Amino acid sequence: MSHCELEDITMHLNDRISSTRRVLELRTIAKDQDKRIILGKIGQDVLAIDGLLDQFEKCVGRQKDLLKHLKELEGFFQEDVQDGKHLRDNMPTHMPRKGQPAVQYPSGRGPVGQSGPVDVQPVQQEHPRKTSKNQIREMEFITSPEFDTIPQYMKGRLTYDQLNTAVESINTAVTGKYKILHQPAKTLNNATRKLHQRFKEEENKDTKGLFFIVEADIKEFTQMKVDKRFQGILNMLRHCQRLREQRGGGITRYVLL
């Protein structure tokens, strides 16, 4: 029911109440025979008013539900705005920016077979990359051409922005983990010392020099849910050569490439 219809019901209800009040006032001067007719008229009007009040109450209830739903939507939009501001204010230095010169690949072609220069940084293929002792690796964000190469059955309803939001969460987990690992154990409190011990126990001879996380790190450092959707995101990141899995000791490690 629209706002105009609600106003019409209110106006009609007020007219009925006013009409009934006038009939009651006229009853005092009416003859006995007319009083029976007047009482019947009043009974009909009261029933009609009762029906209108019932419609009015239902309409108000629906409007309250709609208002509650709109407030929830407003909350979701505010979260998206905050996420957008965070992405804007924390743009990685390696991401292409407006005004940067285009990168010309040696072969004259872009990363997905496009000819000519492209305004993105070429993806390095060193595994693992050389880093200083305390430098923490980060996963590079997915470019739009790379996202287009992901099969539709793999993407499902996941959008480009949602995938890069997941990349940001993974980088948060990596940074949180290796900041603790780079600190001397004696400087840590009890909670972080336990994490430091777990991180060390998860390492093996094959992870030396690599940066990796496990599902427990995602739960520890981010708000991202480790569910079926998360597994789908990992499949897409493997497709884009951002990470690989390494299993052993009952643990699945997600190694950054």
Side-chain angles (χ1 to χ4, degrees):
M1 184 178 293
S2 66
H3 179 70
C4 293
E5 291 174 331
L6 188 60
E7 288 184 343
D8 292 340
I9 289 180
T10 304
M11 186 178 298
H12 183 61
L13 184 60
N14 289 332
D15 291 342
R16 282 299 187 97
I17 293 174
S18 298
S19 177
T20 302
R21 185 181 295 113
R22 284 195 297 270
V23 171
L24 284 171
E25 292 172 353
L26 292 172
R27 186 186 63 172
T28 59
I29 61 176
K31 298 179 180 179
D32 292 339
Q33 183 178 358
D34 295 333
K35 286 182 179 180
R36 289 193 297 269
I37 298 175
I38 291 173
L39 288 174
K41 174 65 174 174
I42 291 174
Q44 293 176 1
D45 287 344
V46 169
L47 289 174
I49 291 172
D50 185 64
L52 289 171
L53 286 173
D54 186 57
Q55 290 186 44
F56 194 85
E57 185 177 358
K58 290 179 180 178
C59 180
V60 171
R62 288 193 293 270
Q63 294 296 325
K64 286 182 177 179
D65 292 338
L66 179 60
L67 179 61
K68 181 180 178 182
H69 179 65
L70 290 174
K71 286 184 177 180
E72 291 176 352
L73 287 177
E74 182 184 17
F76 293 144
F77 288 139
Q78 289 295 334
E79 290 179 3
D80 290 340
V81 169
Q82 293 301 320
D83 290 342
K85 289 181 179 178
H86 180 75
L87 288 173
R88 180 197 64 191
D89 298 336
N90 297 274
M91 186 71 70
T93 56
H94 62 267
M95 291 288 288
R97 296 174 183 271
K98 185 176 180 180
Q100 286 182 335
V103 176
Q104 179 68 51
Y105 287 84
S107 62
R109 303 187 66 83
V112 289
Q114 296 177 341
S115 59
V118 292
D119 191 20
V120 296
Q121 297 295 328
V123 178
Q124 301 295 326
Q125 297 297 327
E126 297 178 3
H127 306 296
R129 297 181 183 182
K130 295 181 179 179
T131 58
S132 63
K133 183 177 179 181
N134 291 328
Q135 182 180 352
I136 299 175
R137 277 279 312 283
E138 284 191 345
M139 180 183 296
E140 292 185 354
F141 285 91
I142 303 299
T143 64
S144 182
E146 285 177 314
F147 184 77
D148 292 338
T149 66
I150 301 174
Q152 185 59 45
Y153 78 86
M154 191 179 293
K155 286 189 289 191
R157 296 183 179 181
L158 195 78
T159 65
Y160 172 76
D161 292 334
Q162 289 172 332
L163 181 57
N164 274 326
T165 298
V167 171
E168 185 177 17
S169 294
I170 291 173
N171 285 336
T172 299
V174 172
T175 301
K177 171 183 177 178
Y178 284 92
K179 277 185 177 180
I180 294 176
L181 278 174
H182 291 163
Q183 297 180 47
K186 62 182 180 181
T187 65
L188 304 175
N189 57 34
N190 289 336
T192 51
R193 189 178 293 113
K194 289 180 181 179
L195 288 174
H196 188 280
Q197 183 179 355
R198 174 171 69 80
F199 299 154
K200 287 295 185 181
E201 291 173 350
E202 291 167 350
E203 294 178 351
N204 57 33
K205 59 183 179 67
D206 296 323
T207 62
K208 186 177 181 180
L210 301 177
F211 287 80
F212 72 92
I213 57 173
V214 299
E215 290 185 359
D217 301 327
I218 293 292
K219 296 176 182 178
E220 179 70 32
F221 296 105
T222 76
Q223 300 296 319
M224 188 163 56
K225 294 182 179 179
V226 179
D227 52 13
K228 185 177 180 181
R229 181 173 179 269
F230 174 72
Q231 296 301 325
I233 290 172
L234 293 179
N235 288 336
M236 286 183 272
L237 294 177
R238 281 195 295 269
H239 174 85
C240 294
Q241 297 183 356
R242 290 300 191 272
L243 57 78
R244 63 179 174 85
E245 286 187 4
Q246 183 191 100
R247 300 175 184 269
I251 301 174
T252 301
R253 302 166 181 83
Y254 303 107
V255 182
L256 272 61
L257 299 179

